[in-house]
Amino acid sequence: MRNGAFPGQTALLRLLTLTFAAAICLTAGLAFIDLIGGNRPGWLDWVRTILLVLTGFWLVWGSMTGIIGSFAPKRRPRGDLKRPEGKTAVLVPIYNEDPYETFSRIAAMNRQIVARGLADRFHFAILSDTTSLEVAAEEANAFEWLMREPDAPGRVFYRRRERNVGRKAGNIEDFVARSGGAYDYAIILDADSLMEADAMVAMARSMDLDKDLGLLQTVPVVIGARTTFGRMMAFSSAYYSKYFSRGAALLQGNQGPYWGHNAIVRVRAFASCCGLPVLSGKPPYGGHILSHDYVEAALLARGGWKVVVDPEIAGSYEQGPENLIEYAKRDRRWCQGNLQHRRLLAAPGLKFWSRFTFLQGIMAYVVSPLWLLLLVASLGASLVPDNGGDRWGVSPWAIAAGVAVTLLLPKFAILLRGAFDGTNRLFGGWRVIPSVFAEILLSTIIAPALLAFQSRAVFQILFGFDGGWPATERDARSVSLRTAFEASWWITIVAIGAIAFMAMAGPDFLPWLLPVAVPALLAPVIIWASSLGEEQADKAWLYAAPSELAPTPIIAEADAILVQWRSHDPVGVTAMDSVGIHAPA
């Protein structure tokens, strides 16, 4: 099998990794119950041990993915750079977002495609679900600018739906139903996506060369970050993701992921397999599926198509949240979408690994309230007299040490691998070392607030609160201290209550609570402070990434086009509710 393990090797690697993760967690659980309960463990000891094993398994599993990826050999990217045989539509769904930023990126991608003489192979379709009339007017004006680009008329299309049924998935489904017959493949982007022409060509050629390939997912790198939080996330994306994705690719084989953007699909396969059900009942449990991408990948795999991730395809970019509030807002939607997947775990015909991916996505959020319950149970156990090893506060420190080792091992393994494969040189050489340690420190400080946001999201969904699909404020950067306080005051109140309770009921155990409680207490300050740094971003050397140190031509091109467009008053139409996207057959 080209660029991957054989099916038998993939199954064996899955079995070994799952067995190892389970063995580690069960061993840790037995050691923990012996430590805290001795020969006569109580019910609270068993509760904490079960919670530790459940949460620990997914922690170890994620760590193993990174470690496997850090040892995995680098493979050549799929496809090649020959002229594609098939015809590709580049789809850009948008929803109440800044059209000038999105359309300028499309203009940059179009210029590269045209310069390579591939205008007849790649068309662009902007699929708007915008509900704001003001933003819709801006989209129409930005499209007028876009029409001035080389070979744009007849190749670059725009349409706005009056009713955004099914949200993004419904938007793409609508295009496939109306115009999909004109294309062999579709590259699906987000409003903040940017992709090199070489990456698009390699993706299309992968489809040409492998007729069983239904979906090919790239690993996008976050660019354009300006704040401390945003640059930390961008550094993590650029430095760690490639290795974690290599490990995931080996485990997933041909039943890989789809993240909803920066991927190419075979239109025929997508049309025949990916009709999404509308779940019975009302949101958040029912209605349209929010995390549609995981489901579409599972349906393609069920239909016998390969679904593959290729972390070696370079030139795939996106933007990310610039502050923790925006991150939490996006995470809330993902949480609701992933929890919907519990209704699909037993869907007929799905591959085992598709079901496991659903379960993994569910546990990515459920594990946060489970950690919170473990913390509460440990607080309660600390107040029980003669409770074995807990009299000396051993178990909390043992848990903390185990979590730290599990989280840090893959990052240090990647740091070591990067020193030998040349990756560290791309990140500024020695500067990558303080960047890794700064990322570890900042992510640790942010972790209690993130755990609180995710736990609240899970509890809201369990109690039937629908979070909907809020528009993403991709240009939202620094936030005021007041805004941060309004978003996280409740975290501070909970932290104050926990500290006060322990100070009165169990002061001996207060020291091990403080590393979690103090960052939670300071959540508004941390959110505000981590959203700063925009003015110094150009001079900052911490979290330096290749996109900053040596920007690729398309990044510079997109920025230059945006500056040019913003420096002039928009011209064009005053309203353009519908511009045809129907391409010639």
Side-chain angles (χ1 to χ4, degrees), residues 63 67 75 92 104 106 111 121 138 170 193 197 210 249 256 315 344 355 363 418 469 539 546 569:
S63 177
I67 292 172
R75 301 179 182 273
V92 188
S104 62
I106 295 171
R111 287 184 184 183
R121 297 290 88 191
E138 292 179 350
S193 297
D210 188 348
L344 304 174
R355 300 184 199 277
M363 291 305 299
W469 190 301
K539 301 177 181 178
D569 291 329

Side-chain angles (χ1 to χ4, degrees), residues 324-340:
L324 189 54
I325 296 175
E326 281 300 306
Y327 182 92
K329 185 169 72 173
R330 184 183 71 172
D331 208 45
R332 171 64 173 81
R333 170 168 58 85
W334 289 353
C335 177
Q336 182 169 325
N338 283 17
L339 293 188
Q340 283 180 317

Side-chain angles (χ1 to χ4, degrees), residues 447-458:
L450 185 58
L451 181 143
F453 280 124
Q454 289 185 338
S455 298
R456 181 181 68 171
V458 171

Side-chain angles (χ1 to χ4, degrees), residues 187-407:
I187 293 176
I188 299 173
L189 304 179
D190 261 355
D192 61 354
S193 297
L194 182 66
M195 191 171 286
E196 299 276 358
D198 285 352
M200 290 189 276
V201 171
M203 295 164 74
R205 285 291 294 158
S206 296
M207 289 287 175
D208 289 341
L209 296 170
D210 188 348
K211 302 303 181 183
D212 295 327
L213 184 60
L215 186 149
L216 177 61
Q217 174 69 62
T218 67
V219 180
V221 173
V222 175
I223 59 171
R226 305 286 297 176
T227 67
T228 300
F229 177 85
R231 296 186 73 250
M232 182 268 286
M233 295 293 290
F235 173 80
S236 299
S237 163
Y239 191 67
Y240 301 131
S241 293
K242 175 177 62 177
Y243 296 100
F244 275 92
S245 297
R246 283 177 184 169
L250 289 174
L251 290 165
Q252 291 158 344
N254 292 328
Q255 299 164 30
Y258 173 38
W259 301 320
H261 59 92
N262 290 53
I264 188 170
V265 299
R266 191 178 301 273
V267 173
R268 177 169 59 89
F270 195 85
S272 63
C273 296
C274 294
L276 294 178
V278 177
L279 300 177
S280 60
K282 296 181 179 180
Y285 303 110
H288 292 284
I289 297 174
L290 297 185
S291 294
H292 58 90
D293 38 17
Y294 279 27
V295 180
E296 288 159 345
L299 293 176
L300 283 169
R302 184 176 72 173
W305 296 96
K306 296 179 182 178
V307 181
V308 176
V309 61
D310 189 349
E312 311 304 339
I313 295 179
S316 179
Y317 308 109
E318 64 174 335
Q319 289 184 323
E322 292 273 37
N323 58 71
L324 189 54
I325 296 175
E326 281 300 306
Y327 182 92
K329 185 169 72 173
R330 184 183 71 172
D331 208 45
R332 171 64 173 81
R333 170 168 58 85
W334 289 353
C335 177
Q336 182 169 325
N338 283 17
L339 293 188
Q340 283 180 317
H341 292 165
R342 76 188 192 282
R343 299 183 60 183
L344 304 174
L345 283 170
L350 295 183
K351 305 289 186 181
F352 164 77
W353 204 252
S354 297
R355 300 184 199 277
F356 182 81
T357 300
F358 284 159
L359 181 61
Q360 186 177 8
I362 293 168
M363 291 305 299
Y365 291 97
V366 173
V367 76
S368 287
L370 291 182
W371 277 116
L372 189 61
L373 290 175
L374 177 59
L375 178 63
V376 172
S378 297
L379 286 174
S382 69
L383 305 178
V384 178
D386 300 325
N387 196 40
D390 272 11
R391 288 177 299 176
W392 297 279
V394 175
S395 62
W397 294 114
I399 294 174
V403 170
V405 170
T406 305
L407 290 174

Side-chain angles (χ1 to χ4, degrees), residues 483-539:
T483 300
F485 182 78
E486 290 172 349
S488 60
W489 61 268
W490 56 277
I491 302 177
T492 298
I493 296 299
V494 171
I496 291 174
I499 292 173
F501 176 78
M502 287 304 298
M504 293 185 295
D508 292 341
F509 295 88
L510 187 59
W512 68 260
L513 176 66
L514 291 180
V516 177
V518 170
L521 176 69
L522 299 175
V525 176
I526 292 170
I527 293 172
W528 162 73
S530 64
S531 77
L532 303 178
E534 184 176 347
E535 294 78 8
Q536 293 80 32
D538 293 334
K539 301 177 181 178

